Amino acid sequence: MKQFLVTVILLIQFSFYAQEDITLSGFITDAKTGESLFGVNIYLESNPTIGTITNEYGFYSIALPKGENKIIVSYITYSTISISLKLNESLNKNFNLQEEIESLDEVIISAKKHQNQVNETAISVERISSATIKKLPVLFGERDVIKTIQLLPGVTSAGDGQSGFTVRGGKLDQNLMLLDDALIYNASHLLGFFSTFNSDAVKDVTLYKGTAPAQYGGRLASVVDVRMKEGNNQKFGVSGGIGLISSRLNVEGPIQKGKSSFLITARRTYAELFLKFTEKFEDHKLYFYDFNTKINYKFSEKDQLFVSGYFGRDVLALSGKFGIDWGNATATIRYNHLFNDKLFSNTSLIYSNYDYNIDIDNNADPFSILSQVQDFNIKQEFQYFPNNKNKWRFGINAILHTNNPGEIKSDSEIEEQVEIRNSIETALFVSNDWVVNDKIKINYGLRVSNFAALGDSDYYELDENLEVTDTINKSGIIENYINLEPRLAINYKLNNESSVKFAYTRNSQNMHLVQNSVTTTPTDKWITSNNIIKPEIGDQFTLGYVKNLNNNTFEFSVETYYKWMQNQIDYKDSANERDPIIEKQLLYGDGRAYGIELLLKKKKGKFTGWLGYTLSRSEKQIDKINNGEWYAARQDRTHDISLVGMYDINERINVSAVWTFQTGNAVTFPSGKYEIEGQTVFLYTERNGYRMPDYHRLDLSLNYTLKKTENYLSEISVGLYNAYGRENAYIINFEESETDPNKIVAVQTALFKYVPSISWNFKF
Amino acid sequence: MKKHILLLIIIGFISCEKEIDIDIEDSESKVIIEANVSTTINSSKVKITRSLNLDNPLPYPTVSTALVSITDITNGEIFNLFETEDGIYRNSDLLGIEGHAYSLSVIVDEIIYSASSTMPQLIILESLEQVGEVSNGEGGGPGSGFSDSDYVEVIPGYLDPEEFTNYYQFIVTRNDSILGDVFIHSDFAFNGLQNSRSLNIEAEIGDVLTIDMQCVDETVYDYLISLNENINQSSATPANPLSNLNNNALGYFKAHTSSTDVITIE
């Protein structure tokens, strides 16, 4: 710890070489809403290499020479500010940017230098800001950022009716999903139809495909950092949508104009109303609701407080006999403080909770099962801007996890508790964005993570056959793991249009989801590292090339990656998921994933969109599975294609189409049959030796603006999910053929054939 | 066919089913052994069959040339079993004794398959009690499935002895035919208690259900759990059931007690 701090201080001093520059710093906000803007460029007109971008709170700090300076402040879809400042001493200056009228973008943008993938050091990153969210395709009447991310190369949806997505051959649990820094353990609603992130409340989303800088950690495959809007601090406003499947409402406004604001959004689906039409499903329930809320207050130019929260719940019930509900709840308190014009601090206190509850109401002995993961998290981060060539971030983070995998309660005397376990995850991190010269930018950093499994509950010792040989129950630390996670990203700019990038990152993961290999459900179990389960470790190498074509109208990128993963977890053959000692059902081994991703984007014009293609492989090697041979991981997808097109027919009407294709999941199918006590039993020869049929689907949508003025918007959004009615296999079962009982045939169940949606969206 | 409960709901709401073609590779024919040692006269027997490819016509081939013997490890007595029907081997002298350990040896095509199993102490099935009415499977409820059949909940009354870890299998005969469903209990969370859990049985009003409660050892219980998941295709990792037989044979060797009761469904 001490050594670490000394190193950090030395590094910072090293980069702080003497100079006579003046510091210009401040916040940049949207003029109309007062929302801070992330990623705004501020640079010297005479020398654009002297420049910086705003951080996630809209703060910038730039070193400029003394005297007369012409500054450019530019941000995509906003009008550029060009201002002359006579600087004699350090100056604090805030800027308000005006959003441009949409139809003009194409003309203006091309003339300016914008932050784009060519200049960005980070590789395998996608950032979607509130400005670009408006340009996303509409699905079920909403622009869902998570659904959109799944259309990028290297990111694949888990499929119809399944929660989550996989990134670069990683498991579903290897994605770090953050909402205002709070961990979201299950990011989907209604069987994956909707994400937990309501785009009305979302300000921006950043996706790192395994190449995140050192301030992020804890998952191997990706980081999805979602930040909520702060709420309009200039003017009170209401917006929302009323649709066939769901409705939503968003209220925001100033508490004190220009100083503080609030935001409340709510959503509710009511798909179950349709179930009432059929007598069979009369008493069933199927819906979700969620709320986002945020309040911020500016104490002074140097101090600002943000309080935000999320609460969501999904409910499924069958005739009062069986019910399940699940959801996330989070709360974040963040305090920004400016120590001086070069040192920015953010302190966060974060709570997050995921739980599910199952009620089984049989005649004999009704009971319920509760399962919960709860985190208390504290994070202190500093951002230090010594000069224009270096931007440091360093800090500390500590999380207390309480993991209650299952508690059974019933009316009778039966009560059973699977061990509740606590653990503490701490991390120290430091990273620097270093501009070496005009051509080379480097981000380097280190994260030191520590995981301690805490005692005072039962842990087990197992023998080779996974039988319990001893039970450990002592206080203090049962097992402690330290991991050093270096991060490096290099951008070499070949010219103004193209660059080559390289990254190496190591990540470790101590929260693991043991997942049914057939389907994913909200009841999959989260478990923590302990004396038996080791931290998962992933090393990823990425090499990429980006080129802007045709005056930034097109962007082409190609990236290739190789990922090596240690201590990967899988269920043993014939695993019993309900075993209270889940360690008895698990095996461990290595994983590897590699692939190539191609992306061609059209960013400007009446027609925008992208074409993505991924060729990849993801495999595992575990001693007691398939005789220790490498086998395809469930999420191994050879081919993955996404085609996204949006077209503005005129000022009022725009249409979009999304087509996706994926190789089917690797699955285990029987290869033979036999009989036990008159029942047909299946003979299996290999894990994941077969494939689900290929998945493909086309979604269409149309947006029609009824009325649009400065203060009022009314639009109708019509969509058709799965437009050509492809019956994508959700699950495949083997049954006796109806025509020939001698034979066993494969029967596939598909969900969601043609789902129409219509919604009316408004804003005033 | 029963499925994972959550899948069941999802599928029940919005779905369409159809038969599809999947190119399944042929598998090597495997030896299947179903071996029982029981305390009931003439119930101890060993059945030997072979597996088939998925599209092969039935019946399953039986194995007639096997050498079969069962040894009472506790008292050293050896019983040779002989084929009395196609693929079924018996010895009328073989009668299981509570608390004794048994080993099985089966030789087929010069390969020896063996297993051992211990017969637990006898626990008496005191009563059978019907709870609630016969209800349609479409109504839901654990394990009932969205099937068209009727189900009834029956509680087998027995007192679990506190000093042992116990495992139970219930063989249900509906009128005259044995139901293939796997009904099992363990005393995890129920140790030392009078049983209050029900069995959800496919039955109609007027049916006579005969339930044989068999106490089995842990290896047999683990086998039955995985057998159940295999039959229902509900396992996290579909695989062959965990057999107590060696040499990659499939099936089981089960030494079990027996206590039977009868109930008429109202």
Side-chain angles (χ1 to χ4, degrees), chain A residues 275 281 322 363-364 517 572 574-575 671-673 677 682-684 690 733-734 742 744 746 748 750-752, chain B residues 9 12-18 20 25 27 34 52-54 56 58 153 180 229-230 233 236-237 240 250 252:
Chain A
L275 302 172
F281 298 130
F322 175 93
N363 291 316
S517 72
K572 68 179 188 184
S574 285
S671 292
K673 62 183 175 183
E677 307 274 9
F682 296 109
L683 176 70
Y684 292 93
Y690 291 93
N733 275 307
F734 287 81
N742 269 329
I744 297 289
Q748 77 159 30
L751 307 174
F752 314 140
Chain B
I9 302 180
F13 279 123
I14 17 172
S15 69
C16 35
E17 284 194 353
K18 71 173 181 193
I20 56 163
E25 289 160 31
S27 56
E34 296 170 70
L52 290 172
N53 288 327
L54 288 181
N56 286 155
L58 301 183
E153 283 182 49
E229 288 187 336
N230 181 304
Q233 298 172 63
T237 43
N240 298 319
L250 297 164
Y252 64 89

Side-chain angles (χ1 to χ4, degrees), chain A residues 322-368:
Chain A
F322 175 93
I324 168 165
D325 58 280
W326 69 93
N328 299 282
T330 72
T332 309
I333 299 171
R334 289 193 281 203
Y335 173 62
N336 283 180
H337 178 69
L338 266 179
F339 283 96
N340 57 50
D341 55 16
K342 289 185 184 295
L343 186 61
F344 178 92
S345 150
N346 179 57
T347 312
S348 309
L349 290 172
I350 306 149
Y351 168 81
S352 72
N353 182 75
Y354 174 71
D355 63 65
Y356 67 82
N357 190 56
I358 301 174
D359 287 307
I360 294 175
D361 191 7
N362 61 3
N363 291 316
D365 192 12
F367 65 100
S368 65

Side-chain angles (χ1 to χ4, degrees), chain A residues 161 191 193 275 280-281 284-286 316-319 321-322 324 360 362-365 412-416 467 515-519 521-523 570-578 580 584 668-687 689-691 693 727 730-735 737-739 741-753, chain B residues 1 3-28 30 32-34 36 47 49-60 131-133 135 138-142 146 153 155 171 178-181 188-190 193 196-198 218 222-223 225-227 229-242 250-252 254:
Chain A
L191 319 168
F193 244 126
L275 302 172
K280 193 170 161 185
F281 298 130
H284 299 347
K285 289 180 192 161
L286 173 72
L316 262 174
L318 266 190
S319 303
K321 282 203 166 184
F322 175 93
I324 168 165
I360 294 175
N362 61 3
N363 291 316
D365 192 12
S412 62
E413 55 206 299
I414 296 114
E415 278 201 19
E416 192 56 41
E467 294 296 332
Q515 178 195 328
N516 183 314
S517 72
V518 184
T519 53
T521 68
T523 57
D570 208 340
Y571 273 122
K572 68 179 188 184
D573 285 344
S574 285
N576 173 16
E577 292 166 85
R578 287 170 290 278
K584 286 170 69 182
T668 308
F669 286 149
S671 292
K673 62 183 175 183
Y674 58 97
E675 191 179 43
I676 294 282
E677 307 274 9
Q679 278 270 21
T680 302
V681 182
F682 296 109
L683 176 70
Y684 292 93
T685 53
E686 189 183 2
R687 173 87 58 100
Y690 291 93
R691 288 279 166 182
E727 289 181 27
Y730 171 63
I731 192 165
I732 290 175
N733 275 307
F734 287 81
E735 297 173 4
S737 166
E738 281 173 16
T739 49
N742 269 329
K743 283 190 175 177
I744 297 289
V745 292
V747 175
Q748 77 159 30
T749 303
L751 307 174
F752 314 140
K753 194 178 175 180
Chain B
M1 181 164 296
K3 289 171 187 144
H4 193 283
I5 189 74
L6 199 75
L7 299 187
L8 204 88
I9 302 180
I10 296 166
I11 289 167
F13 279 123
I14 17 172
S15 69
C16 35
E17 284 194 353
K18 71 173 181 193
E19 238 182 77
I20 56 163
D21 273 332
I22 286 178
D23 189 19
I24 297 289
E25 289 160 31
D26 286 350
S27 56
E28 173 199 355
K30 291 226 171 198
I32 315 297
I33 298 168
E34 296 170 70
N36 292 280
K47 186 178 174 188
T49 54
R50 281 188 173 275
S51 68
L52 290 172
N53 288 327
L54 288 181
D55 55 358
N56 286 155
L58 301 183
Y60 293 98
V131 277
E133 291 174 357
S135 69
E138 283 182 4
F146 278 87
E153 283 182 49
I155 299 179
I171 306 286
I178 293 177
L179 297 179
D181 305 73
F188 175 78
F190 296 89
L193 301 175
S196 59
R197 289 165 290 175
S198 61
E218 190 182 357
D222 287 344
Y223 163 78
I225 289 180
S226 54
L227 174 70
E229 288 187 336
N230 181 304
I231 292 169
N232 295 329
Q233 298 172 63
S234 61
S235 172
T237 43
N240 298 319
L242 303 163
L250 297 164
Y252 64 89
K254 173 172 84 173

Side-chain angles (χ1 to χ4, degrees), chain B residues 26-266:
Chain B
D26 286 350
S27 56
E28 173 199 355
S29 181
K30 291 226 171 198
V31 173
I32 315 297
I33 298 168
E34 296 170 70
N36 292 280
V37 174
S38 170
T39 50
T40 315
I41 291 166
N42 238 346
S43 293
S44 301
K45 62 178 178 186
V46 176
K47 186 178 174 188
I48 308 172
T49 54
R50 281 188 173 275
S51 68
L52 290 172
N53 288 327
L54 288 181
D55 55 358
N56 286 155
L58 301 183
Y60 293 98
T62 54
V63 176
S64 295
T65 53
L67 294 171
V68 182
S69 68
I70 288 173
T71 306
D72 182 330
I73 300 172
T74 312
N75 65 17
E77 213 174 333
I78 300 172
F79 302 89
N80 290 312
L81 283 75
F82 303 98
E83 193 175 21
T84 54
E85 295 162 51
D86 275 351
I88 296 177
Y89 298 74
R90 283 196 171 91
N91 180 333
S92 53
D93 295 337
L94 174 57
L95 206 57
I97 302 166
E98 278 175 64
H100 282 208
Y102 295 87
S103 71
L104 168 77
S105 162
V106 172
I107 305 173
V108 178
D109 297 338
E110 293 175 358
I111 298 171
I112 304 174
Y113 303 98
S114 55
S116 57
S117 176
T118 303
M119 186 178 295
Q121 296 297 320
L122 175 70
I123 295 163
I124 300 292
L125 176 62
E126 296 153 4
S127 63
L128 292 176
E129 182 199 345
Q130 177 183 347
V131 277
E133 291 174 357
V134 171
S135 69
N136 194 283
E138 283 182 4
S144 65
F146 278 87
S147 77
D148 296 328
S149 311
D150 287 337
Y151 284 81
V152 66
E153 283 182 49
V154 174
I155 299 179
Y158 65 89
L159 179 65
D160 181 81
E162 197 171 353
E163 62 272 34
F164 302 112
T165 306
N166 302 91
Y167 304 96
Y168 307 84
Q169 183 184 10
F170 302 88
I171 306 286
V172 181
T173 309
R174 180 186 177 186
N175 300 324
D176 285 321
S177 60
I178 293 177
L179 297 179
D181 305 73
V182 178
F183 296 103
I184 41 177
H185 279 172
S186 90
D187 64 359
F188 175 78
F190 296 89
N191 190 29
L193 301 175
Q194 182 69 32
N195 178 55
S196 59
R197 289 165 290 175
S198 61
L199 310 174
N200 203 9
I201 302 168
E202 186 178 340
E204 286 168 10
I205 293 172
D207 279 351
V208 177
L209 300 180
T210 307
I211 298 182
D212 184 22
M213 184 171 88
Q214 305 181 344
C215 296
V216 296
D217 67 12
E218 190 182 357
T219 58
V220 173
Y221 179 77
D222 287 344
Y223 163 78
L224 291 169
I225 289 180
S226 54
L227 174 70
N228 193 35
E229 288 187 336
N230 181 304
I231 292 169
N232 295 329
Q233 298 172 63
S234 61
S235 172
T237 43
N240 298 319
L242 303 163
S243 176
N244 53 2
L245 292 152
N246 65 359
N247 272 338
N248 289 323
L250 297 164
Y252 64 89
F253 175 45
K254 173 172 84 173
H256 64 88
T257 64
S258 176
S259 179
T260 305
D261 201 355
V262 179
I263 186 173
T264 304
I265 300 307
E266 294 162 358

